[in-house]
Amino acid sequence: MKAVLARRNPVAKVAAALVFTVALVTTLDPVPPAVAIAIELALAPLFGVGYRALARRAWPLLVAAAGVAVTMVLFAAERTGDTVFQAGPVAVTTSVLGGALGLALRVVAIALPGVLVFASTDPTDLADALVQNVRAPYRFAIGALAAVRLVPLLGQEWQLLRLARRARGVDAGRNPVAAARIFVSTAFGLLVGAIRRGTRLAVAMDARGFDRGGSRSQARTQRFQTADAALIIGALSLAAAVLFAGVAT
């Protein structure tokens, strides 16, 4: 049996995530995103996402947040406040640390709801809900479904390309320049393969009539219920509470 929030309409979950994260864009204060992250982690079990699975899916967010924080510390234009420490020409002040912390937390707080929503949503249900509840074009909805289905193949193709290059004796060893060159060429090959697959898929969709404006029958029904509206209202209330926490502190 699915968790409480995992059973909700996919469009409602996406709308709730957007409502909750838009409020975080309006502030650089570290308190609102910190409170938002605490709320998101508390709601993760209600989406049917365990903390171990969430860590496996969200670790790139931590890397991105750390990169944002380091960039902010190194290249911040305004360095007001007390100096915490001096590293050569870089003076790390309290204002710089506060801004870096706020940006890093905001990156995680904005992206984490998307991780929870898509981890608890079947791509087919999302495509059906987009067509039935939002009246999205069939071509867009089915194209988005195909994209989500094909994303895992990118990792497999990356491994195949690496193994194929290694079988031909193309190996960087410990040379970082050669490793960077191989990485760029492998990424380019992956991009070319993705474009070719997308072109074939687009032609196949056009051949099946997805470019027409007529209506199509639905095999699965996605209903927007009162509980789905309550989820969006709850997300709006939590976003207001997060902003109030920032103002209050």
Side-chain angles (χ1 to χ4, degrees):
M1 184 177 180
K2 288 186 177 181
V4 176
L5 296 182
R7 295 196 299 267
R8 301 275 55 84
N9 187 287
V11 169
K13 289 190 284 186
V14 172
L18 290 176
V19 167
F20 187 72
T21 55
V22 163
L24 299 174
V25 181
T26 62
T27 178
L28 292 177
D29 187 4
V31 174
V35 175
I37 292 174
I39 294 174
E40 291 159 5
L41 292 177
L43 293 178
L46 298 181
F47 282 93
V49 182
Y51 292 115
R52 183 174 298 179
L54 181 62
R56 288 197 304 268
R57 291 174 177 269
W59 69 263
L61 298 181
L62 301 180
V63 176
V68 168
V70 171
T71 303
M72 183 68 180
V73 169
L74 294 178
F75 302 107
E78 296 184 2
R79 300 183 179 273
T80 58
D82 298 331
T83 300
V84 179
F85 64 89
Q86 183 89 21
V90 179
V92 180
T93 63
T94 53
S95 65
V96 171
L97 287 179
L101 179 62
L103 284 175
L105 290 176
R106 189 166 64 161
V107 167
V108 177
I110 289 176
L112 199 56
V115 175
L116 293 175
V117 168
F118 287 100
S120 62
T121 303
D122 183 80
T124 304
D125 293 339
L126 177 59
D128 291 337
L130 287 174
V131 171
Q132 298 175 35
N133 304 132
V134 189
R135 297 295 186 266
Y138 292 98
R139 191 171 186 175
F140 169 78
I142 303 302
L145 170 61
V148 174
R149 292 294 191 191
L150 293 176
V151 163
L153 294 179
L154 294 178
Q156 299 176 12
E157 288 194 357
W158 181 271
Q159 294 297 330
L160 289 176
L161 289 173
R162 290 182 63 242
L163 293 175
R165 290 176 180 272
R166 185 172 299 178
R168 293 197 303 267
V170 181
D171 192 2
R174 297 184 178 181
N175 188 340
V177 177
R181 185 167 55 249
I182 292 176
F183 176 85
V184 172
S185 62
T186 305
F188 181 75
L190 190 66
L191 176 62
V192 171
I195 293 175
R196 288 176 177 173
R197 185 181 294 109
T199 302
R200 291 195 300 268
L201 180 61
V203 172
M205 290 176 63
D206 288 345
R208 286 164 174 78
F210 282 100
D211 59 338
R212 296 183 302 176
S215 60
R216 303 175 68 92
S217 60
Q218 303 294 332
R220 295 165 298 272
T221 302
Q222 294 291 335
R223 294 183 174 85
F224 195 91
Q225 301 174 344
T226 305
D228 300 316
L231 175 62
I232 299 176
I233 295 174
L236 182 61
S237 303
L238 289 176
V242 165
L243 293 179
F244 178 77
V247 173
T249 56

